[in-house]
């Protein structure tokens, strides 16, 4: 099975440094095959014949043993990622004058956040669609950004249970996950 592994909060501003070459080597030594990464922000592709729960346990052990800071992550089986991505609304990514993000729910994500988000987000500046693993979010880019609900979530407990990727990165991850690999 092909998997997409998304790490949160690494290699940002010089903090929580995780060299991708080192992590690829660790994942390979941990039994994963076809280990690849995309950019330096914790986007990895791995293959394993093990079920997702076993793979998550292996990833947790590798990260815990080799890094002295916690690294939250989400491991998505290719069919699950592609199924949720297929649910993306037509407005997500449509207007280049807006901010389009996919917030991936981490393994620690509390499903009650879905209700909180539905109840508290604004509709004047934000469009949100919640799926089982992804929150598709479009908000203003510059004009009135401070009025958007998206501008208010950075640093919140909700935001810390997600890992954001912009529209272009998310589309690229899909292409790379679907591409043949050695």
């Amino acid at each position: 099975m092909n998997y997409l592994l998304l790490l949160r909060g690494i290699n940002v501003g010089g903090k929580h440094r995780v060299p991708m070459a080192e992590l690829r080597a660790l994942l390979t030594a941990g039994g994963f095959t076809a280990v690849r990464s995309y950019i330096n922000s914790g986007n990895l592709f791995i293959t394993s014949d093990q079920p997702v729960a076993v793979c998550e346990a292996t990833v947790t052990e590798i990260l815990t043993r080799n890094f002295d800071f916690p690294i939250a992550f989400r491991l998505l089986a290719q069919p699950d990622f592609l199924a949720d991505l297929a649910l993306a609304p037509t407005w997500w990514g449509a207007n280049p004058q807006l901010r389009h993000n996919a917030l991936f729910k981490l393994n620690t994500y509390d499903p009650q956040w879905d209700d909180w988000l539905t109840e508290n987000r604004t509709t004047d500046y934000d469009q949100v669609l919640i799926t089982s693993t992804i929150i598709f979010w479009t908000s203003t880019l510059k004009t009135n950004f401070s009025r958007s609900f998206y501008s208010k979530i950075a640093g919140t407990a909700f935001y810390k249970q997600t890992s954001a990727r912009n529209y272009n990165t998310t589309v690229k991850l899909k292409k790379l996950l679907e591409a043949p690999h050695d």
Side-chain angles (χ1 to χ4, degrees), residues 6-147:
L6 301 168
L7 306 180
R8 183 184 194 285
I10 64 161
N11 301 333
V12 179
K15 294 184 179 181
H16 299 135
R17 189 163 147 13
V18 177
M20 288 298 103
E22 178 183 338
L23 184 55
R24 288 191 307 270
L26 291 167
L27 290 167
T28 300
F32 297 107
T33 59
V35 178
R36 304 171 289 148
S37 59
Y38 172 66
I39 60 180
N40 200 34
S41 58
N43 306 295
L44 296 113
F45 307 93
I46 58 177
T47 300
S48 176
D49 59 358
Q50 298 297 314
V52 69
V54 172
C55 292
E56 285 175 345
T58 302
V59 169
T60 298
E61 194 273 328
I62 289 169
L63 296 175
T64 302
R65 184 171 24 107
N66 292 283
F67 300 97
D68 61 357
F69 47 87
I71 302 174
F73 69 90
R74 180 65 188 240
L75 184 68
L76 293 167
Q78 181 175 352
D80 298 333
F81 171 65
L82 296 177
D84 267 10
L85 200 54
L87 299 173
T90 55
W91 46 258
W92 188 71
N95 183 342
Q97 302 303 313
L98 298 176
R99 177 184 311 265
H100 306 281
N101 286 317
L103 279 65
F104 291 89
K105 298 174 181 180
L106 299 173
N107 292 359
T108 57
Y109 188 83
D110 184 339
Q112 292 180 359
W113 286 118
D114 291 350
D115 295 333
W116 173 85
L117 179 57
T118 300
E119 294 167 9
N120 290 289
R121 72 173 169 89
T122 62
T123 54
D124 293 339
Y125 302 101
D126 301 273
Q127 292 177 286
V128 175
L129 176 76
I130 303 168
T131 71
S132 62
T133 61
I134 304 170
I135 300 168
F136 296 97
W137 199 317
T138 294
S139 66
T140 59
L141 185 59
K142 294 180 182 172
T143 305
N144 292 318
F145 180 67
S146 64
R147 294 182 180 183

Side-chain angles (χ1 to χ4, degrees), residues 156-167:
T156 64
F158 160 75
Y159 195 67
K160 291 177 182 177
Q161 289 188 15
T162 66
S163 188
R165 301 297 186 273
N166 67 32
Y167 173 83

